[in-house]
Amino acid sequence: MKINAAGLLFPDWAYKPAWSPGSRQVQLWHFLLELLGRGEGSAIGWGGEWGEFVIRDPERLAKLWGERKGKPHMNYDKLSRALRYYYNKRILHKTKGKRFTYKFNFSKLILVNYPGYPPPGLQVIITSLQLMSKPPVLLLFHFI
DNA sequence: CGCGGAATTT
DNA sequence: AAATTCCGCG
């Protein structure tokens, strides 16, 4: 498991792309969950259904994503292509009829008492818990 | 917009 | 493998 700068916790498999020696790059869906975990005021927010999210400001989101990846020419056209690649990977699907709305393929519900967490002596507030289907489990914590 | 093929990059 | 880039199609 790995805790990123946003205080979110990702399992190791989430950082898998180790093809570039040592450069575990953040994946798009990590980034989305990170922003979603931050709550309001963002370019993206949770939607009505479980796992559903709405991109409120597509170009702004693309800009942020581009900054994260060092791709200054990123735009929504390209970002959305990446999102569509997630369809076959069973990570996301489109909420048809709802503009800029996608949905994570979360399955069941959760393991609040995940072994080893929170680390001893660390105060933690669990603000969101998600379960990915990719295969496994993703726990999102907010540390304070 | 949203989709997915194809070539290319990281 | 996971995008990024480009693009024709409905």
Side-chain angles (χ1 to χ4, degrees):
Chain A
M1 298 290 251
K2 220 175 167 58
I3 301 169
N4 71 10
L8 299 184
L9 190 154
F10 291 102
D12 292 329
W13 58 264
Y15 286 89
K16 202 180 174 185
W19 323 115
S20 329
S23 75
R24 292 180 153 184
Q25 278 240 283
V26 67
Q27 270 157 277
L28 179 53
W29 65 267
H30 304 170
F31 178 72
L32 297 178
L33 287 173
E34 181 182 314
L35 291 189
L36 286 166
R38 287 217 265 266
E40 309 307 319
S42 189
I44 187 174
W46 289 118
E49 290 178 52
W50 171 243
E52 189 177 83
F53 63 91
V54 181
I55 300 172
R56 302 195 190 103
D57 189 338
E59 290 306 330
R60 176 165 154 60
L61 177 66
K63 190 79 168 65
L64 292 170
W65 174 232
E67 285 168 11
R68 175 65 66 90
K69 288 289 291 290
K71 294 287 174 182
H73 304 303
M74 180 53 59
N75 58 32
Y76 181 66
D77 177 59
K78 289 183 279 194
L79 185 152
S80 63
R81 182 67 188 93
L83 293 180
R84 290 194 292 278
Y85 269 127
Y86 282 154
Y87 298 169
N88 282 335
K89 293 180 182 176
R90 318 250 44 211
I91 290 174
L92 289 182
H93 64 262
K94 187 74 181 68
T95 300
K96 292 171 184 173
K98 291 186 183 177
R99 201 158 172 254
F100 305 130
T101 302
Y102 299 79
K103 189 175 173 180
F104 280 100
N105 290 325
F106 295 138
S107 33
K108 321 160 200 170
L109 209 42
I110 261 348
L111 307 79
V112 178
N113 42 358
Y114 196 82
Y117 290 89
L122 186 61
Q123 260 194 313
V124 55
I125 291 180
I126 300 173
T127 56
S128 56
L129 298 174
Q130 313 286 9
L131 183 65
M132 298 300 298
S133 73
K134 214 244 166 163
V137 183
L138 175 60
L139 301 179
L140 304 177
F141 294 92
H142 264 92
F143 295 88
I144 58 173

